Amino acid sequence: MSVRTTRTALVAATAVALSVALAAPALAAAPARTDHEATRKAIEAAVDAGVPGVTATAKDGRGAWSATAGVGNLKTGKPRSADDRYRVGSITKTFVATVLLQLEAEGRLSLDDKVEKWLPGLVRGNGHDGSRITVRQLLNHTSGIFNYTADEDFGRTYFLKDGFFEHRYDTQKPEELVAVAMTHKPDFEPGTSWNYSNTNYVLAGMVIEKATGRPYGDAIRERIIKPLHLTATSVPGTRVTVPGPSSRAYSKLAETATGPTYDVTKLNPSLASSAGEMISNSTDLNRFYSALLRGQLLPREQLAEMTTTVPVDETTGYGLGLMKAKLTCGVTVWGHGGGIHGSQSEGVTTEDGRHSLALNFNGDWSGDAVAVIEAEFCGNVPGTRHRADPGVPFAPSRIG
């Protein structure tokens, strides 16, 4: 397969991580459980499948529970920690959408504003037209704007071995990322379909900056991180390291899931910008998603807008930076997945915010995060799920 064909297929799996293999008919609801043994087996299965290490934390009415499997450092054999900080990739999108909805609640912008109003002249070229695209369409991926990480040259430069090691410390400005997307035609007319595009959230971050007059990361820190006391969560900007405690991150930096394994922990996350640059840990992600669904961050009207979804498949919908997925046992979870070099993460919670799970794989080519989610919320032991589609491996070094 070509770089483009493989990348397109794999990024789709990462971007819609919650939806992979959830199209099977719903089974009877699982009985209440008194332990997390199925979840433990699921993270161990991920390590058996090739993931270097996994960290996961769940929180429910009985309190918090954490488990790890595998290693956080392939050279030293050091295990992963329940307190590990890691790059969360597109989980960043939920934070960005939350800030924009807060700004709407304050009357500082409208989701129906055209992108052109806030970013004049930026979304233009090859059929793109910011005067026909709303902020809402950015947030729910119905804008039709091309995904800049699907660009062939960008992929070779930042996601495959030779390019990555030459350019891993490059700084990318948001305008430059959008410009890459503008060299392509739109995927569809605004509002007529759905397609996951990181460009949407680069633009969303820029709208926050225009509306507040400050970097979008400042808004996330002041409006979400500080009020919720998310002590492990940060917006790194151009900082290339992950604060401790943390593990190493590993990738194949290739189109396949075979071959050498490379340490990709250090990189300049500006290539992900407001589409996926943030760092957090499992405890913070559980607190964030629980608070969000419980209405602690948004007024009722804005939370209703956020949870109004467009269909992705039979069991999955995408709201405003928030995904909804119906699991095989009938339980519905809300959250987002995130992938970036050497890191695959999930953060999900029930609609009432009472049962949450966050996890991270420190490798990007193997493992089944959906199996861990199914294990936690349905009690399914790995290998017992009836999957409608075996899916594809997690995208190597993708932002999704």
Side-chain angles (χ1 to χ4, degrees):
M1 299 174 73
S2 69
V3 173
R4 180 185 298 277
T5 303
T6 303
R7 182 172 299 111
T8 299
L10 294 181
V11 75
T14 302
V16 200
L18 287 174
S19 69
V20 174
L22 297 186
L27 306 177
R33 303 184 316 287
T34 58
D35 59 45
H36 302 268
E37 188 58 29
T39 311
R40 186 185 299 279
K41 289 181 178 179
I43 68 173
E44 291 171 351
V47 172
D48 291 342
V51 178
V54 183
T55 182
T57 296
K59 187 173 183 181
D60 57 21
R62 297 183 297 276
W65 170 89
S66 297
T68 65
V71 299
N73 188 313
L74 290 173
K75 286 187 177 180
T76 66
K78 180 181 178 180
R80 296 213 64 178
S81 165
D83 297 321
D84 269 357
R85 301 181 186 191
Y86 44 80
R87 301 189 190 278
V88 301
S90 282
I91 290 174
T92 303
K93 292 179 171 67
T94 313
F95 287 81
V96 169
T98 300
V99 169
L100 278 169
L101 284 160
Q102 289 176 341
L103 293 173
E104 183 198 48
E106 295 163 10
R108 300 175 68 174
L109 56 76
S110 168
L111 294 186
D112 296 319
D113 287 344
K114 297 297 192 293
V115 175
E116 182 73 10
K117 172 181 177 179
W118 293 101
L119 306 171
L122 189 62
V123 180
R124 189 172 297 171
N126 284 307
H128 288 97
D129 184 354
S131 68
R132 301 176 57 220
I133 297 168
T134 66
V135 173
R136 187 189 309 274
Q137 289 167 338
L138 297 179
L139 298 184
N140 65 13
H141 295 296
T142 61
S143 71
I145 297 174
F146 183 84
N147 179 14
Y148 75 92
T149 61
D151 176 82
E152 188 83 9
D153 290 338
F154 192 91
R156 278 195 297 265
T157 302
Y158 295 103
F159 300 123
L160 299 184
K161 179 173 72 72
D162 292 343
F164 174 78
F165 285 116
E166 181 179 352
H167 296 284
R168 68 194 298 179
Y169 300 128
D170 289 1
T171 293
Q172 294 287 315
K173 296 179 180 180
E175 295 85 353
E176 294 172 332
L177 302 178
V178 174
V180 171
M182 295 302 104
T183 65
H184 298 266
K185 293 181 179 179
D187 295 321
F188 48 81
E189 288 292 307
T192 64
S193 187
W194 183 91
N195 193 47
Y196 193 92
S197 174
N198 288 301
T199 315
N200 287 325
Y201 274 79
V202 175
L203 291 163
M206 296 174 75
V207 171
I208 291 173
E209 295 184 354
K210 281 296 184 74
T212 64
R214 301 179 65 187
Y216 89 95
D218 288 354
I220 288 177
R221 280 185 285 270
E222 293 171 6
R223 292 169 171 270
I224 301 174
I225 293 175
K226 289 182 180 179
L228 293 182
H229 305 290
L230 305 181
T231 57
T233 303
S234 60
V235 185
T238 59
R239 188 184 68 219
V240 303
T241 57
V242 178
S246 60
S247 293
R248 311 305 293 178
Y250 298 98
S251 180
K252 299 296 184 180
L253 294 175
E255 299 177 59
T256 66
T258 60
T261 299
Y262 301 99
D263 187 324
V264 296
T265 309
K266 291 184 178 181
L267 60 85
N268 185 329
S270 64
L271 75 129
S273 187
S274 48
E277 73 168 276
M278 288 182 66
I279 292 169
S280 191
N281 73 358
S282 298
T283 296
D284 275 9
L285 291 180
N286 283 337
R287 186 178 300 159
F288 168 61
Y289 279 111
S290 178
L292 180 62
L293 269 295
R294 288 184 173 192
Q296 295 175 17
L297 292 171
L298 294 173
R300 182 176 300 178
E301 179 182 347
Q302 276 66 40
L303 184 58
E305 289 186 289
M306 184 177 235
T307 54
T308 298
T309 63
V310 294
V312 174
D313 60 29
E314 292 179 1
T315 59
T316 312
Y318 199 98
L320 305 183
L322 193 66
M323 294 188 71
K324 175 184 180 181
K326 187 176 183 180
L327 305 180
T328 57
C329 59
V331 173
T332 294
V333 293
W334 293 84
H336 212 289
I340 193 169
H341 303 70
S343 182
Q344 292 291 334
S345 308
E346 294 285 349
V348 295
T349 191
T350 50
E351 189 167 10
D352 60 8
R354 293 181 179 179
H355 187 179
S356 305
L357 171 71
L359 64 100
N360 174 260
F361 295 172
N362 66 338
D364 60 23
W365 66 90
S366 185
D368 187 350
V370 176
V372 184
I373 295 170
E374 286 273 347
E376 175 61 26
F377 292 92
C378 298
N380 292 345
V381 177
T384 64
R385 284 190 300 140
H386 299 287
R387 301 183 61 170
D389 183 343
V392 294
F394 281 121
S397 303
R398 298 306 305 169
I399 303 166

